[in-house]
Amino acid sequence: MRIGILKAPYDPITRSELNAALAFQRQGSFGMVFLMTEGEGILSEPERIHLLDLALSPYRKLASGTRTTLRELLSSKNTVIAELDAAEEAEVRSGIFRKAARGTQKALIDQNAYLDAMLEARCTPHRAAHARSVAETARTIAQANHLSPELAWKAGMLHDITKKWTDAEAQKLLVVYDPEKLSYSPKVWHSWTAPIWLAQEMGLHDHAILSAIHHHTLGDGNAPMDQILFIADKIEPTRGYDSTAEMELSCRDLKAGFELVKAESLEYLKGHGTDIAS
């Protein structure tokens, strides 16, 4: 039986790679094609194999493998070895999970895969550091208030994911999905473009996370996660000022902490002559 082996990092496997593997199997009339992880990845090899197995489960002539498990086949004269173009994997790692292979998108979201890579790809270094700090601050506040630390952390990591967009890019999205928000300053448009982008490109549909991001600049959300992210965004340590009192109050009484931080934020905006609505 002729065997095919297709090498790639599979970090993670993409839709185009899966389609290429199916075409390779048909064109070569292979009895079996193994998709072999090759090289280092952001995800560990066992994690990449798990994603491969999810993607390949509907196909009886495709299977996953590693250099160790496929050692004998690699040296067989009946084996044809080829390498896939893995360029699209970088797009998935940057947050475009819709390009991941079918059956893997939910797993990527559930295991918080590539969030650091998303920040590196889509934010300035300063903004990425801020997002990580917001995430940790939000996690601490959530835990103290007996709410989900993971959801709060994830919202913090993703809240500024479209902050780097140009005004033109943001306007193009808002004019279709939320044109009323265009009356506000472009400085806060990312609050509304981020949830849209995350739902469309990443496939993230967790209401608590998307709502928290939607409300994180104006502080106009009433849900606990909305309040947590608003507080964390304003008081996280890289802001450079002592927010010990705000942090302690928020961990003890979320509503009181939110009201204090919101009042301080409004006072700051007034003092600097900033108006978020045009």
Side-chain angles (χ1 to χ4, degrees), residues 216-229:
H216 85 269
T217 54
L218 301 187
D220 53 348
N222 296 316
M225 205 59 67
D226 300 347
Q227 296 176 342
I228 288 171
L229 184 59

Side-chain angles (χ1 to χ4, degrees), residues 203-263:
L204 177 67
H205 298 290
D206 188 295
H207 176 74
I209 293 175
L210 297 181
S211 175
I213 295 172
H214 183 92
H215 296 291
H216 85 269
T217 54
L218 301 187
D220 53 348
N222 296 316
M225 205 59 67
D226 300 347
Q227 296 176 342
I228 288 171
L229 184 59
F230 178 80
I231 294 167
D233 184 43
K234 301 299 184 288
I235 72 169
E236 58 88 9
T238 71
R239 291 286 191 186
Y241 60 86
D242 184 5
S243 57
T244 304
E246 291 85 350
M247 186 68 174
E248 289 179 350
L249 179 59
S250 299
C251 287
R252 188 171 65 251
D253 185 332
L254 178 60
K255 183 178 179 182
F258 172 71
E259 291 174 349
L260 173 61
V261 172
K262 186 171 181 179

Side-chain angles (χ1 to χ4, degrees), residues 74-96:
L74 286 167
S75 58
S76 170
K77 63 180 181 180
N78 292 322
T79 299
V80 176
I81 302 171
E83 190 168 344
L84 286 180
D85 179 1
E88 199 172 76
E89 293 181 16
E91 294 184 57
V92 178
R93 294 194 296 270
S94 77
I96 306 179

Side-chain angles (χ1 to χ4, degrees), residues 78-271:
N78 292 322
T79 299
V80 176
I81 302 171
E83 190 168 344
L84 286 180
D85 179 1
E88 199 172 76
E89 293 181 16
E91 294 184 57
V92 178
R93 294 194 296 270
S94 77
I96 306 179
F97 287 4
R98 63 178 175 80
K99 291 193 175 185
R102 292 179 294 275
T104 65
Q105 188 178 52
K106 184 178 185 300
L108 291 172
I109 292 171
D110 289 347
Q111 68 189 44
N112 297 327
Y114 305 118
L115 295 193
D116 265 315
M118 288 176 63
L119 292 182
E120 295 297 330
R122 301 195 172 275
C123 299
T124 64
H126 171 77
R127 186 60 51 184
H130 163 73
R132 293 185 183 101
S133 187
V134 170
E136 292 302 327
T137 303
R139 172 157 46 193
T140 299
I141 297 172
Q143 191 161 15
N145 285 278
H146 309 291
L147 297 165
S148 171
E150 180 181 324
L151 285 185
W153 176 84
K154 195 166 187 173
M157 289 289 282
L158 296 172
H159 78 286
D160 277 350
I161 203 67
T162 59
K163 180 81 170 180
K164 195 177 175 181
W165 283 16
T166 65
D167 291 351
E169 288 174 308
Q171 186 177 34
K172 185 177 180 181
L173 199 66
L174 290 177
V175 76
V176 175
Y177 293 98
D178 205 349
E180 292 182 2
K181 296 297 192 294
L182 294 172
S183 64
Y184 288 83
S185 166
K187 292 180 180 179
V188 297
W189 285 355
H190 67 284
S191 296
W192 306 307
T193 56
I196 297 168
W197 186 88
L198 288 167
Q200 290 183 344
E201 301 295 337
M202 187 180 179
L204 177 67
H205 298 290
D206 188 295
H207 176 74
I209 293 175
L210 297 181
S211 175
I213 295 172
H214 183 92
H215 296 291
H216 85 269
T217 54
L218 301 187
D220 53 348
N222 296 316
M225 205 59 67
D226 300 347
Q227 296 176 342
I228 288 171
L229 184 59
F230 178 80
I231 294 167
D233 184 43
K234 301 299 184 288
I235 72 169
E236 58 88 9
T238 71
R239 291 286 191 186
Y241 60 86
D242 184 5
S243 57
T244 304
E246 291 85 350
M247 186 68 174
E248 289 179 350
L249 179 59
S250 299
C251 287
R252 188 171 65 251
D253 185 332
L254 178 60
K255 183 178 179 182
F258 172 71
E259 291 174 349
L260 173 61
V261 172
K262 186 171 181 179
E264 291 177 342
S265 179
L266 289 173
E267 190 64 28
Y268 174 85
L269 291 174
K270 289 178 183 178

